[in-house]
Amino acid sequence: MDKTEQTYHVPVLLHESIEGMHIQPKGIYVDVTFGGGGHSKEILRQMDKESRLFSFDQDPDAEKNIVNDDRFTFVRSNFRYLHNFLRYYGVEQVDAILADLGVSSHHFDDSERGFSFRFDGKLDMRMNKRAGITAAEIVNTYEEERLANVFYLYGELKNSRKLASVLVKARSVKPIETIGEFIEIIKPLYGKEREKKELAKVFQALRIEVNQEMEALKEMLNAATEALKPGGRLVVITYHSLEDRMVKNMMKTGNVEGKAEQDFFGNVQTPFKLINNKVITPCEDEIQRNPRSRSAKLRIAEKK
């Protein structure tokens, strides 16, 4: 593993996910979450000369990790536009699609990005700094009920209403602009022993809302289902229950809601066949080397 990759993001479940892609000669592959390039570099290592790899990332910082390889195409875009860009490059169907839905270590470790409560900085959290609204804008402009819904749905926080109420009261005195100010306001709501865990949920909820992660994931999964050729693989690494539920539903029923359609004989009509019935998780050795991999879950399905 090279230095850039290591400092930007340590690829999670690398061997298991690449093996799950079932790389074949003359294949067309997609990595919808390029990041530090760890997974993409391993895919390229296993590809033959006639194969192609398209890697997506909307974050300008990820562009520093671009690979110089004729078989490689970097797509500066959110993965929700997977369908549009494959069509733009004249690609009808692909052999495997990989998604590692984790936030890069780089984002957590860069105080300027506002992803982590460990540093002070601007309350931003945008994956794409060129577009969209910031976490500060959400905290300062959303109505109380809408703010409470964000914390409840995306952070699964039991005290979401209280949290929203405290923020609305504080912002009426002075706009909340930095991580330090934000934490100072909400810290009293949590006891010392649960503080870190609860703050992580609060920050997760805001990050999901800022980047429209659930909507983007739904669009990508639908596009991926369409783009895969029969026998093609969908390989997804998730990190929290909300995204994992969507991926599991898509693989089991063909839609993110999990609405199972059955044929005359009661068989579930799904475009996928599960490759691993039991979810794959990192081994103890990987968790020790990379503690952020602890919550990772790998699911693999094959298009029928």
Side-chain angles (χ1 to χ4, degrees):
M1 195 187 302
D2 66 38
K3 196 171 185 293
T4 314
E5 191 179 307
Q6 217 164 9
T7 52
Y8 192 99
H9 184 64
V10 181
V12 174
L13 290 162
L14 182 63
H15 170 73
E16 296 87 342
S17 58
I18 306 302
E19 189 178 43
M21 291 178 78
H22 197 51
I23 292 168
Q24 301 294 314
K26 298 184 184 178
I28 300 176
Y29 301 98
V30 183
D31 175 0
V32 295
T33 48
F34 179 70
H39 287 102
S40 282
K41 286 170 191 170
E42 189 54 39
I43 294 166
L44 285 164
R45 273 194 279 268
Q46 299 202 21
M47 277 170 28
D48 70 348
K49 279 191 286 200
E50 292 175 76
S51 293
R52 291 172 77 192
L53 171 64
F54 294 87
S55 294
F56 285 66
D57 210 296
Q58 62 183 332
D59 183 4
D61 289 352
E63 295 175 24
K64 297 166 192 163
N65 306 317
I66 288 176
V67 185
N68 183 19
D69 190 308
D70 292 341
R71 302 166 299 166
F72 176 78
T73 303
F74 183 76
V75 183
R76 294 169 177 84
S77 173
N78 187 302
F79 61 35
R80 71 194 306 168
Y81 304 115
L82 173 67
H83 175 75
N84 304 28
F85 277 96
L86 288 180
R87 205 167 51 182
Y88 172 77
Y89 284 107
V91 175
E92 287 299 315
Q93 289 190 306
V94 303
D95 294 275
I97 296 170
L98 169 73
D100 175 358
L101 302 177
V103 178
S104 290
S105 304
H106 162 77
H107 290 128
F108 283 123
D109 296 337
D110 182 353
S111 60
E112 290 298 305
R113 303 302 293 268
F115 281 88
S116 174
F117 53 84
R118 292 183 294 126
F119 310 107
D120 197 6
K122 285 179 182 167
L123 202 53
D124 193 321
M125 299 195 191
R126 288 172 301 166
M127 293 286 185
N128 180 359
K129 291 196 286 185
R130 294 171 285 210
I133 62 168
T134 66
E137 286 173 89
I138 286 169
V139 166
N140 287 296
T141 63
Y142 275 26
E143 289 174 7
E144 191 172 319
E145 191 178 350
R146 191 178 176 191
L147 206 49
N149 286 342
V150 167
F151 292 127
Y152 183 74
L153 293 170
Y154 299 149
E156 299 177 295
L157 288 146
K158 294 185 176 74
N159 69 338
S160 58
R161 290 192 181 282
K162 177 71 177 158
L163 182 56
S165 167
V166 164
L167 288 167
V168 168
K169 197 174 169 185
R171 78 188 190 195
S172 68
V173 179
K174 179 185 174 287
I176 305 158
E177 290 168 352
T178 68
I179 295 166
E181 291 167 359
F182 180 68
I183 290 173
E184 205 59 39
I185 294 159
I186 66 170
K187 235 181 180 181
L189 297 176
Y190 304 110
K192 203 75 186 149
E193 68 288 344
R194 287 194 57 76
E195 193 181 275
K196 270 189 181 172
K197 212 164 190 178
E198 296 301 315
L199 283 177
K201 288 181 186 177
V202 172
F203 272 65
Q204 173 185 293
L206 274 178
R207 191 199 78 225
I208 289 172
E209 179 68 9
V210 165
N211 297 291
Q212 297 184 308
E213 289 179 28
M214 295 298 111
E215 296 91 333
L217 178 58
K218 180 180 179 177
E219 288 173 37
M220 185 276 285
L221 290 171
N222 285 330
T225 305
E226 212 178 294
L228 284 166
K229 60 175 68 166
R233 296 280 183 92
L234 179 60
V235 179
V236 188
I237 304 168
T238 66
Y239 294 81
H240 59 77
S241 58
L242 299 168
E243 59 191 19
D244 188 56
R245 198 176 304 132
M246 286 174 80
V247 172
K248 183 167 71 173
N249 285 343
M250 177 57 85
M251 290 179 173
K252 285 190 171 178
T253 66
N255 59 74
V256 295
E257 294 79 21
K259 292 174 191 158
E261 286 184 30
Q262 297 180 337
D263 63 15
F264 180 76
F265 302 102
N267 301 310
V268 175
Q269 298 288 87
T270 169
F272 290 108
K273 174 181 83 178
L274 296 180
I275 295 300
N276 59 321
N277 284 307
K278 193 170 181 281
V279 73
I280 298 166
T281 55
C283 63
E284 278 307 314
D285 183 44
E286 179 167 4
I287 292 168
Q288 280 196 330
R289 279 185 284 113
N290 180 16
R292 284 176 180 154
S293 70
R294 181 171 276 106
S295 55
K297 288 181 177 176
L298 171 64
R299 295 184 185 275
I300 306 162
E302 190 173 281
K303 181 96 171 272
K304 288 179 180 174

